[in-house]
Amino acid sequence: MSLGDEPGYPETGHTRTRLPEDPYGGASRRGGRSSSRSLVTVVGVVVLLIAAIAFANRGDGNGSSTTTDTGASGSGNQPASSSTAASGTKPVEAKSGGIPSGFAHNAQGAQSAAANYAVTLGSTGMYNKDDRHRIVSSLYTSAAAAKLQSPMDAAYSTGFLAKLGLDANGNPPKGSTFVSRTVPVGTEAEQYSDSTAKVSVWYMGLIGMSGTSSTNPVTTTWKTWTFDLQWDGNDWKVGSDTQTDGPAPVPGDDQAATSDAISKAVEQYGGFTYAR
C-alpha cells in the first residue's frame, strides 16, 4: 500500500487511515512506516526460526493425537456454537512468576493454555535473556525447552535487539516505551486427546517503539499461532508451534494515536488471563 498525497489521509483503495498531524515527534510518515515494516519482518524471522526448531522436535512426544469434534457444527454461514458460546469454565488463578498455569485437562483447558501462552511468548519479557529462559522453561516441554534455549539466545542477539532500539538487556532508551503484545481474538481445538492437543490462536499483535524520537511507531499485525500441546506434569506444555499470517481485517478509519498516548495506554492497561 502506498501513501496518498493528501496530508493525514493515505489512500488504501478501500478505506483510509487517519494519521495524527505529527506522528511520533515529526518522524517521516513514509520512512517510519518502512522502518516499522522492517521491524515486523525481523521479528517475524525470529518467530519463524523458533517455530521451525520446535516443529522439528515434534516427534519427541510419545502421546498419540486423535481428532475429535469439539463443538456442534454450524449450518450455512453460521459458526459452530462452540466458537461463540461461553464455556462456563473459570480462568486459572494459579500463576508461576506471573505466568498462568494449572489449566483444565480437557479441550477447553488446552485452548485456554494456548491463548495465555501466546500472550506470554509475545510479551516484552522475551527480549530479556533471564526472563526468556524462565518463560521457555515454564511453557515448553523439558525436551523442547532444552533444544530451544541456545538458538533463541542466538536469535535475540545484541545486534538484533539494537535494530529494535533496545539495549543488550532488552530495555528501550530513556523516555521511550517498547511495545510487544499479543491479543488473542479466538481459539480452535483442531485436535484433542487426553495426552495431546493441537490448538490454533488467532491474534492481533502490537509491535514497535513509542517515543518522540522513534522511527518505528507501534503497528498492528494479524497472525494465527498453532500450538502442539502435550499433557505433561499436570499441565499443558508446548511441544512445538508454528505461525502463519492473517487473517487480517480491512483497517478502519481510525486516527493514529501519538506516541505519548500509546505509552500511557501501555502503562495504564494491563493484560488478561484468557479462558475458553
Side-chain angles (χ1 to χ4, degrees):
M1 177 183 70
S2 61
L3 300 184
D5 295 327
E6 182 184 355
Y9 289 93
E11 294 298 327
T12 65
H14 296 285
T15 186
R16 59 187 182 181
T17 302
R18 188 180 179 189
L19 300 176
E21 291 295 328
D22 189 17
Y24 286 32
S28 167
R29 286 194 190 120
R30 188 178 297 274
R33 189 169 182 84
S34 176
S35 298
S36 178
R37 285 178 175 172
S38 298
L39 169 63
V40 173
T41 300
V42 172
V43 173
V45 170
V46 175
V47 170
L48 290 175
L49 170 63
I50 296 169
I53 296 170
F55 185 79
N57 298 328
R58 66 185 301 181
D60 292 339
N62 295 322
S64 59
S65 176
T66 58
T67 301
T68 59
D69 183 3
T70 58
S73 299
S75 59
N77 293 326
Q78 298 299 316
S81 61
S82 62
S83 68
T84 56
S87 67
T89 300
K90 293 182 179 180
V92 296
E93 298 179 356
K95 291 188 176 182
S96 176
I99 302 174
S101 60
F103 294 94
H105 191 185
N106 53 35
Q108 291 180 2
Q111 292 180 73
S112 298
N116 285 281
Y117 294 171
V119 170
T120 303
L121 291 169
S123 69
T124 56
M126 291 295 290
Y127 299 84
N128 174 273
K129 184 176 181 180
D130 292 339
D131 289 343
R132 182 171 63 251
H133 282 201
R134 177 177 59 86
I135 290 171
V136 173
S137 296
S138 298
L139 303 189
Y140 285 84
T141 64
S142 57
K147 294 181 179 181
L148 279 172
Q149 295 288 19
S150 292
M152 289 180 74
D153 288 344
Y156 287 91
S157 65
T158 301
F160 167 69
L161 295 176
K163 291 180 180 179
L164 304 181
L166 305 172
D167 64 18
N169 294 317
N171 298 314
K174 185 177 180 179
S176 296
T177 302
F178 179 61
V179 181
S180 180
R181 285 197 182 189
T182 299
V183 185
V185 178
T187 63
E188 178 188 9
E190 298 183 15
Q191 297 177 349
Y192 177 78
S193 73
D194 286 341
S195 58
T196 63
K198 183 175 184 178
V199 179
S200 292
V201 181
W202 179 35
Y203 74 89
M204 180 187 71
L206 300 176
I207 184 73
M209 186 75 73
S210 177
T212 56
S213 61
S214 173
T215 57
N216 296 314
V218 180
T219 59
T220 59
T221 62
W222 288 87
K223 293 182 181 292
T224 299
W225 206 333
T226 301
F227 294 91
D228 286 305
L229 303 173
Q230 299 177 19
W231 185 252
D232 180 14
N234 296 318
D235 208 350
W236 292 105
K237 300 290 184 179
V238 183
S240 64
D241 54 303
T242 58
Q243 289 203 48
T244 57
D245 292 335
V250 176
D253 188 19
D254 299 317
Q255 180 175 354
T258 63
S259 63
D260 183 58
I262 291 293
S263 296
K264 288 181 178 178
V266 171
E267 295 173 358
Q268 180 180 358
Y269 299 103
F272 297 98
T273 299
Y274 291 84
R276 179 64 182 90

